[in-house]
Amino acid sequence: TEIREEAFYKCKALKSFIISKNVKIIGEKAFYGCEKLKKVTFENTKKAPEIGEKAFSKTAKGIKFMAENKKTAKLLKTALKSSGVKTPNVYYVTYTKL
C-alpha cells in the first residue's frame, strides 16, 4: 500500500511504472533522479495517493502521468502539484475490455 521514501532513488533503468490502485502513499523522493522515467500510470482509484515532496523530481523532461478516468486525473493533478511538480502532464485513458 506504500512506495517508501527513496524506493527508486536515482534508478537509471526505470522508464515507465504502473502504480496499483492499492497504493495509498508515495514517499518523499520515491522516484527522485530517475532521469529516464517518462511515464507513470495510476490504476483506477477513487482517491489519488498521498505524494511526498520531490517524489518525481529530476525525472525525464515532459514526464507523463496517466490515469484511467477523468476524475482520477483531476485528483492526481492536485496531488502532484502539492508534492512539488510545477506543471504536471496528467492524461486520462479509457481502456475497453475485449
Side-chain angles (χ1 to χ4, degrees):
T1 61
E2 176 180 357
I3 298 174
R4 293 183 169 248
E5 274 185 30
E6 299 182 3
F8 296 95
Y9 187 83
K10 293 188 178 182
C11 179
K12 302 294 180 195
L14 197 61
K15 294 180 182 178
S16 66
F17 199 85
I18 298 172
I19 297 179
S20 166
K21 65 182 175 184
N22 298 322
V23 173
K24 306 293 182 224
I25 299 170
I26 299 172
E28 289 183 22
K29 296 184 178 180
F31 296 94
Y32 183 94
C34 297
E35 296 170 348
K36 293 182 181 178
L37 182 60
K38 294 180 180 181
K39 181 178 168 187
V40 179
T41 302
F42 289 79
E43 287 186 337
N44 195 12
T45 181
K46 294 180 189 222
K47 215 169 121 164
E50 179 183 319
I51 302 173
E53 285 187 47
K54 298 183 180 179
F56 294 99
S57 292
K58 306 229 182 217
T59 53
K61 285 191 177 199
I63 184 173
K64 294 179 182 176
F65 298 96
M66 309 300 286
E68 292 186 351
N69 65 49
K70 225 179 207 182
K71 183 178 179 184
T72 303
K74 187 176 179 181
L75 294 170
L76 185 57
K77 193 169 193 169
T78 302
L80 286 163
K81 280 184 179 180
S82 67
S83 75
V85 179
K86 291 179 184 176
T87 53
N89 297 315
V90 181
Y91 304 94
Y92 70 93
V93 180
T94 317
Y95 297 99
T96 305
K97 291 184 179 181
L98 298 176

